Amino acid sequence: MSKMHVKMTVNGKPVEGLAEPRTLLIHFLREDLNLTGPHIGCDTSHCGACTVDLDGKSVKSCTVFVAQANGAEVTTIEGIANPDGTLHALQEAFREHHGLQCGFCTPGMITRAHRLLQENPNPTEAEIRMGISGNLCRCTGYQNIVKSITAAAEQLASMKEAAE
Amino acid sequence: MKPARFEYVAAKTVAEAIDARSSFDDTVILAGGQSLIPMLNYRVAQPDAVIDINRVPGLDTISVDNGAVRVGALVRHRQLELSAEAFAAHPLLREALDNVAHIPIRNRGTICGSIAHADAAAEMPAVLVCLDGFVTAQGSGGERNVPASDLFLFHMTTTLDSDEIITSATFPALPKGSGYAFEELTRRHGDYAVAGICAVITPGPDGNCASASLSACGIAEKPVRLSAVEAALVGTNLSDDAVSAAAALVDDMVTNEDDGAGGRYRRQVARTLITRAVAKACQRAAQGRA
């Protein structure tokens, strides 16, 4: 099986590699780029553990072939923290509000919430729940995840206000 | 590696994709991939070639013409859902799309892909059936329009030829003075429906039902038109009793009996959804007139 040459920007850095066409984006990220933040939960698009940003939209990287991401911009959980290495407001809020227990869903949950807050910086609780409905968590019962995202939205809004 | 090996063809034109379909025994078209890639991952599908049409220009347009909405093969669910122009012309589409999976899936999945995949429980095929819509398909024999009533054969099977590609789907305009509704029941939001009902009701000047168009997903081996229910509704005053009596006629159409929702339960769900959808459609028709 011939491999194809793929190039993309991942977390702001240009990357390239050789991959079989049947390689899923999640496998390329984890196995070729060693970005093991996005997790493999179900391989069938149900669980959302593999959620990444692809050209500014949340997608499940287990249902995208790496060939389809050729030339794209990808953001994974590894690209969410602030440039100085401190935690992003969402990561901080998940820590503060106990938004995770086992942590398996957390990278997908935060990556999804990160995009949600860019699309809707001031979401209602219902909008948060609908926005993360493609991400499953088997530990928390979601309550603390919703609380974390709400807190992060408030924090980001006050940071924005302070900057203006 | 999850999927079995396949040849990957990145088509640059529809003609190239059609050629590729004829060059291999067993091919699949990759648009959004939100049903196809899980099937490949499970190796339920093991095609010789995957023909990716994502880089074919011109397939990602939504066009609105006198209330009808035509979506190209690469229009994502989310793109149509957020299109203000499509919503203004045809609000039923957004209401149905809101039930399709969840946002990350809708960001990738395409309307035409869902129609081509023809899952019996999927929403958009049922909407196409309710509206008497059609798809435009291209193959080695040229281009043709296939009405929804001739398209769906069985669960995950259409009547299209193996070298044909759906290039667009057309959802005809809602009739003047009509009201619409899409109602479904799922075990988890975004999951395939136990049953879903699409309804378009047009009351006459006397308030009686002048025309009714209803379809269902999830209840049979394909999306189905509920002709008996429609016939029973037309001419009635759309009272609760009249709608309940008509809704009961769905029973004979319910043939899907999976473990999670046996026939008796599913028939009850379908009846209830019909009464809800018709009530909502009537309410909207009344608001439209006011």
Side-chain angles (χ1 to χ4, degrees), chain B residues 46-71:
Chain B
Q46 298 194 17
D48 301 318
V50 170
I51 302 161
D52 186 353
I53 58 168
N54 280 278
R55 290 171 207 265
V56 177
L59 293 181
D60 61 349
T61 49
I62 300 171
S63 35
V64 177
D65 180 20
N66 267 330
V69 176
R70 200 188 68 158
V71 295

Side-chain angles (χ1 to χ4, degrees), chain B residues 37-206:
Chain B
I37 297 181
M39 285 172 67
L40 295 167
N41 286 349
Y42 269 132
R43 301 200 177 191
V44 173
Q46 298 194 17
D48 301 318
V50 170
I51 302 161
D52 186 353
I53 58 168
N54 280 278
R55 290 171 207 265
V56 177
L59 293 181
D60 61 349
T61 49
I62 300 171
S63 35
V64 177
D65 180 20
N66 267 330
V69 176
R70 200 188 68 158
V71 295
L74 288 175
V75 172
R76 318 280 164 180
H77 287 111
R78 188 73 172 153
Q79 185 188 345
L80 182 59
E81 184 187 351
L82 297 180
S83 160
E85 195 192 4
F87 178 65
H90 210 311
L92 166 61
L93 300 178
R94 184 181 286 179
E95 179 152 301
L97 285 162
D98 188 46
N99 292 284
V100 178
H102 30 250
I103 292 167
I105 303 265
R106 296 207 291 271
N107 279 338
R108 294 292 297 169
T110 63
I111 291 99
C112 289
S114 171
I115 291 167
H117 183 63
D119 191 296
E123 290 83 2
M124 297 317 280
V127 174
L128 197 72
V129 166
C130 180
L131 295 169
D132 281 319
F134 62 90
V135 297
T136 303
Q138 279 185 43
S140 49
E143 185 180 270
R144 64 185 181 123
N145 291 337
V146 184
S149 54
D150 294 339
L151 180 66
F152 301 104
L153 200 56
F154 196 72
H155 181 50
M156 292 167 61
T157 312
T158 68
T159 56
L160 295 177
D161 290 334
S162 60
D163 72 338
E164 283 185 310
I165 295 170
I166 295 178
T167 51
S168 70
T170 303
F171 295 92
L174 292 167
K176 227 184 161 88
S178 67
Y180 66 90
F182 190 96
E183 288 283 323
E184 78 169 27
L185 181 92
T186 53
R187 287 186 210 100
R188 293 162 294 268
H189 178 83
D191 218 332
Y192 281 113
V194 171
I197 300 291
C198 187
V200 178
I201 306 287
T202 315
D206 55 1

Side-chain angles (χ1 to χ4, degrees), chain B residues 257 260 281:
Chain B
E257 296 206 20

